[in-house]
Amino acid sequence: MILSMNNLAEAQSSGISSLGINLKSFVFQLITFLIVLAILRRWVFPKLVATLEERRKTLEESLNQARLTEETLQKAEAKAGEILQAARAQADAALAEAHTKAEEIIAKGETAASERGARIIAEAEERLGQERQRLHSELRGELAELVAATTEKVLRQKLDEREDRALIERSLKELG
Amino acid sequence: MPVLSRRQLAAYAADQLLASQQVSAIAKELAAVLVNSRRANQAELLAQDIAWELERRGAAANATVTAAHDLSEQLRKQISAFVKKSAKVERVIINQNIDDSVIGGVRIDTAAHSWDKTLSRKLTDIREVL
């Protein structure tokens, strides 16, 4: 076979060699190439393809995961926004209620203070009235005592026995 | 033996006095009852009860007349007549009491009645009114 190939090569070299190509070398290189190609296709390419496929799958999963994460994040942000809005609404409502209650408390406090003040004034006026009445009574009593004492003194000085008898007679007539 | 009340004793004494019994004899009887019933300290009260009983029956009134000055005979008669008429008694015994604190006028007290026309009373009334 080698001889035939050598013959073939010799025969063809006359044609190909005209193109500047060594046919023997070319055939040898072709065979070598085919062997290498067969080796690669048998042991290397399947593993390489499998590895590449695995990496592609991993990448795709990562992308899906990233997309899911992004969606989850968006949902979480939306939910957080809703919660924040609700919290703000609640805070506003609580603040408004607090304002209302504070106003009510202040109003009640003012009313209570006003009532208490009025009561204190009324009590003070009552006490003042009682004190005035007491002083008036005391003054009246003292005045009566003074009038009675003065009258008694004058009567003791002016009323002699004769006038006393006349007084007794008048009294008896009044009684009779 | 049941104990006689002071009112019963006074009624008995009035009966005896109005029956013209001896005063000393009645007094001895009453004294014996009081001593026997251990009420000797009630002799004064019994005398007042007897006076009240006699006045109630219209027999006599023991009038204590209080004035600042001595009463004239005419005033005594007037007072006696007044008490007879007012207390409706036949006889009046006047006991005069001179008390300077009455200032003027007269106060007549019997066992059952009292009339106060003194100036001290009027001044007291004025004090109370004022």
Side-chain angles (χ1 to χ4, degrees):
Chain A
M1 182 179 167
I2 291 169
L3 287 177
S4 64
M5 281 184 68
N6 284 335
N7 292 331
L8 182 61
E10 284 176 1
Q12 288 180 344
S13 63
S14 59
I16 293 172
S17 57
S18 63
L19 295 174
I21 299 169
N22 188 350
L23 187 61
K24 285 165 100 178
S25 175
F26 175 75
V27 170
F28 182 75
Q29 286 179 355
L30 182 63
I31 292 167
T32 306
F33 174 76
L34 291 173
I35 292 167
V36 169
L37 181 64
I39 291 168
L40 287 174
R41 287 192 65 177
R42 178 68 179 84
W43 287 290
V44 176
F45 284 161
K47 285 188 179 180
L48 190 63
V49 168
T51 304
L52 287 173
E53 184 63 21
E54 190 178 351
R55 289 190 65 183
R56 189 189 63 77
K57 284 181 180 176
T58 304
L59 190 62
E60 194 174 353
E61 284 177 0
S62 295
L63 287 172
N64 286 335
Q65 192 67 33
R67 194 165 51 249
L68 285 172
T69 305
E70 190 177 0
E71 285 177 0
T72 306
L73 183 64
Q74 284 177 352
K75 284 179 183 175
E77 282 179 351
K79 196 167 185 180
E82 287 175 1
I83 292 170
L84 193 63
Q85 196 172 359
R88 277 179 185 160
Q90 282 184 356
D92 288 343
L95 195 63
E97 191 179 356
H99 275 301
T100 307
K101 283 191 176 176
E103 285 174 357
E104 285 177 1
I105 289 167
I106 289 168
K108 281 181 183 174
E110 284 177 352
T111 306
S114 176
E115 287 175 354
R116 192 178 173 194
R119 195 166 62 246
I120 288 169
I121 290 169
E123 287 174 358
E125 283 179 349
E126 190 180 346
R127 277 202 300 274
L128 195 64
Q130 288 173 351
E131 186 66 18
R132 192 187 297 125
Q133 187 67 30
R134 189 182 63 79
L135 288 172
H136 188 259
S137 298
E138 280 183 7
L139 188 65
R140 196 171 167 180
E142 287 179 8
L143 187 65
E145 186 60 37
L146 188 66
V147 167
T150 307
T151 307
E152 183 179 343
K153 206 171 275 185
V154 170
L155 286 172
R156 282 186 189 282
Q157 287 175 356
K158 300 290 182 184
L159 192 71
D160 58 13
E161 194 171 342
R162 188 176 57 81
E163 288 174 339
D164 190 20
R165 284 176 184 166
L167 176 66
I168 293 171
E169 283 181 4
R170 281 202 303 274
S171 299
L172 289 171
K173 282 178 184 172
E174 285 174 16
L175 288 169
Chain B
M1 181 181 173
V3 177
L4 292 171
S5 69
R6 218 172 61 219
R7 182 62 57 85
Q8 288 173 320
L9 288 173
Y12 170 76
D15 288 341
Q16 296 300 309
L17 287 169
L18 292 175
S20 301
Q21 293 293 323
Q22 282 283 332
V23 175
S24 59
I26 299 167
K28 282 179 184 176
E29 279 185 67
L30 293 174
V33 171
L34 289 176
V35 169
N36 190 43
S37 60
R38 298 178 180 178
R39 289 183 291 171
N41 57 348
Q42 294 184 7
E44 183 67 27
L45 295 174
L46 180 58
Q48 290 175 9
D49 286 346
I50 293 167
W52 184 85
E53 188 65 29
L54 288 171
E55 187 175 336
R56 189 182 68 82
R57 295 184 185 193
N62 191 11
T64 301
V65 181
T66 305
H69 301 98
D70 191 20
L71 297 173
S72 65
E73 193 57 35
Q74 187 186 352
L75 269 180
R76 282 172 175 268
K77 285 179 182 174
Q78 287 178 348
I79 289 169
S80 179
F82 165 74
V83 174
K84 277 183 183 176
K85 183 182 173 186
S86 299
K88 296 182 177 63
V89 291
E90 293 175 358
R91 189 180 165 200
V92 175
I93 301 163
I94 291 178
N95 301 308
Q96 187 180 347
N97 179 27
I98 295 175
D99 185 355
D100 190 41
S101 67
V102 300
I103 306 170
V106 66
R107 186 175 71 236
I108 305 165
D109 296 302
T110 68
H113 298 88
S114 182
W115 298 271
D116 193 345
K117 298 293 281 184
T118 60
L119 292 178
S120 63
R121 178 70 255 171
K122 287 181 179 174
L123 287 173
T124 303
D125 290 344
I126 288 169
R127 283 189 181 100
E128 288 175 358
V129 168
L130 291 175

